[in-house]
Amino acid sequence: MKQHRTSLKDLARELNVSIATVSRALRNSPEIGHDMQQRVKELAKKLNYRPNPFAQSLRREAPKMIGVIVPNLVTHYYAAVLDGIEDEARREGYSVISANSHESFDDEAQAVDNFISLHVEGIIACLSQNTTDYHHYEEIAEMGIPLVFFGRTCLSDQFSSVKANGDEAAQMATQHLIDTGSSRIAFLGGPNHLDMVRRRKHGYLEALHENHLPIDRDLVVCGKIDYHVALEAAEKLLRGPHRPDAILAFNDIICFAAFTAIKNCGLRIPEDVALIGFTDDVHAAYVTPRMSAIVDQSHLMGVRACQLLLKSINGDPKVYQEIVPQQLVIRETSSKKASESPAVNK
């Protein structure tokens, strides 16, 4: 069996203290009392703790590094955000290493631990859909490691973030669906605990309210961000006795699941069911019919996130909350009426 290497996290768990306390104790920090320093060092000796030599050599010899955590690296959105981060980091003399959480809390927490061990200068992160416990980020705050969130965020009083105006964009998209002939509009979203989901759902509900349309809770479906789960949910809605005549989809995965579900049910887009999704413009333009989409300025979001992180690395203590506007691009999937302008951007 492979021998387990004792980590800072193991020592912290055994002593019931934070990773930051263990790290400082091993460095003889005056912030940690003599008794605690002794306890940490004795346990480290007992458990045969050894600092990571690879991380130490990186710290001495390699360029300054930024760690980036994304939920799903294979999507165009996260790849484009990472591209923006890398462009800005490179201009400022930093290298970027990325970790894919695969929408898993455990993988996300492990990525944070790995970045701490590698002594990155700072971290940029987007929450996994399964993350509801933020202790690994609270430890980052205790250790004084700069951190910026993008997209899906938390702990807004402690960390800067860059996000989109999802509430305004969702309201505008829903209004467009109403204006072009839809009245029973469904919202297919992700987990309700994600702030991104709440913002987009809020905009959708605001549009219904302002147009005096009843809110049918059966048309608001928020579940796992997964293609097959979303496909099943969409088909259930469309095969029901009171099917929606339009769908607003939370992201690209859910959007294309809804697109497939409409076709599987033998329905026409947009005549029977109109569709708008929060998705990337690259794929939306190359399906038939061409898809109306709410598009992120994802590369710009990455640039802004990196800029905020560098501010923090350079000693700026301020917490920033920056908004990068989305663009609503109208094509063929959303308008039931014959006359419609080709595009609306915001």
Side-chain angles (χ1 to χ4, degrees):
M1 292 180 62
K2 184 178 179 180
Q3 185 177 4
H4 173 69
R5 184 187 182 97
T6 302
S7 67
L8 290 176
K9 187 173 184 178
D10 295 326
L11 299 178
R13 185 186 299 113
E14 184 78 16
L15 294 167
N16 197 28
V17 298
S18 70
I19 294 175
T21 296
V22 171
S23 177
R24 289 168 182 157
L26 292 173
R27 290 186 282 107
N28 299 315
S29 170
E31 299 175 12
I32 306 300
H34 176 75
D35 289 345
M36 177 56 71
Q37 288 190 27
Q38 288 301 112
R39 289 177 60 198
V40 170
K41 291 175 182 178
E42 287 172 4
L43 182 63
K45 183 176 181 180
K46 177 182 175 182
L47 298 182
N48 197 31
Y49 167 75
R50 294 289 185 274
N52 187 334
F54 174 64
Q56 289 182 327
S57 66
L58 283 175
R59 195 175 188 183
R60 287 193 304 269
E61 300 169 10
K64 297 174 292 185
M65 291 189 301
I66 291 171
V68 181
I69 305 171
V70 298
N72 189 348
L73 190 54
V74 299
T75 66
H76 182 272
Y77 168 72
Y78 291 114
V81 172
L82 183 59
D83 191 57
I85 293 170
E86 289 177 339
D87 283 351
E88 185 64 20
R90 190 181 305 113
R91 279 193 289 268
E92 300 298 326
Y94 287 80
S95 295
V96 174
I97 52 175
S98 61
N100 191 344
S101 73
H102 305 283
E103 297 284 12
S104 161
F105 167 79
D106 290 337
D107 287 354
E108 178 182 293
Q110 184 61 58
V112 170
D113 282 348
N114 291 343
F115 286 157
I116 291 172
S117 297
L118 290 171
H119 300 287
V120 296
E121 301 290 324
I123 296 172
I124 299 172
C126 180
L127 297 177
S128 84
Q129 66 173 311
N130 292 331
T131 299
T132 56
D133 178 356
Y134 309 128
H135 75 272
H136 49 311
Y137 292 121
E138 290 167 343
E139 288 178 346
I140 290 287
E142 290 181 20
M143 298 179 74
I145 298 173
L147 170 66
V148 170
F149 287 106
F150 75 91
R152 309 173 193 170
T153 68
C154 66
L155 304 174
S156 58
D157 59 327
Q158 298 181 56
F159 298 110
S160 295
S161 68
V162 180
K163 51 194 174 187
N165 60 335
D167 50 349
E168 296 177 11
Q171 185 169 356
M172 181 169 33
T174 306
Q175 185 65 53
H176 162 72
L177 291 169
I178 295 168
D179 290 343
T180 54
S182 299
S183 58
R184 281 184 55 77
I185 303 167
F187 177 79
L188 292 183
N192 278 308
H193 66 267
L194 290 176
D195 64 324
M196 180 187 285
V197 174
R198 294 195 301 269
R199 290 195 302 271
R200 295 178 181 183
K201 183 168 66 174
H202 175 74
Y204 155 80
L205 294 172
E206 281 294 297
L208 297 184
H209 177 73
E210 288 190 0
N211 288 272
H212 308 290
L213 292 176
I215 296 172
D216 185 344
R217 295 297 176 185
D218 291 336
L219 295 181
V220 182
V221 181
C222 292
K224 186 177 181 181
I225 302 172
D226 176 89
Y227 179 84
H228 296 288
V229 171
L231 179 65
E232 182 179 350
E235 289 190 356
K236 182 178 179 181
L237 277 176
L238 295 169
R239 297 186 192 280
H242 306 291
R243 68 168 172 82
D245 61 4
I247 294 174
L248 176 63
F250 166 72
N251 73 351
D252 50 357
I253 293 172
I254 294 174
C255 182
F256 283 99
F259 187 90
T260 302
I262 295 170
K263 289 184 173 288
N264 287 351
C265 292
L267 298 169
R268 299 168 300 164
I269 305 172
E271 293 86 354
D272 298 319
V273 184
L275 176 64
I276 294 181
F278 284 82
T279 185
D280 67 87
D281 206 37
V282 174
H283 296 100
Y286 294 105
V287 295
T288 303
R290 295 185 309 138
M291 190 178 297
S292 296
I294 305 162
V295 181
D296 279 290
Q297 299 185 73
S298 43
H299 185 276
L300 178 60
M301 185 169 287
V303 170
R304 294 284 190 262
C306 190
Q307 289 173 342
L308 291 185
L309 185 70
L310 293 175
K311 281 186 176 183
S312 182
I313 289 173
N314 292 326
D316 186 347
K318 184 177 178 180
V319 174
Y320 297 88
Q321 306 298 332
E322 186 163 337
I323 302 294
V324 176
Q326 293 173 305
Q327 298 174 321
L328 175 59
V329 181
I330 303 304
R331 294 195 180 94
E332 298 168 352
T333 63
S334 61
S335 176
K336 294 182 183 299
K337 294 181 179 178
S339 59
E340 177 60 31
S341 58
V344 180
N345 293 318
K346 181 176 181 180

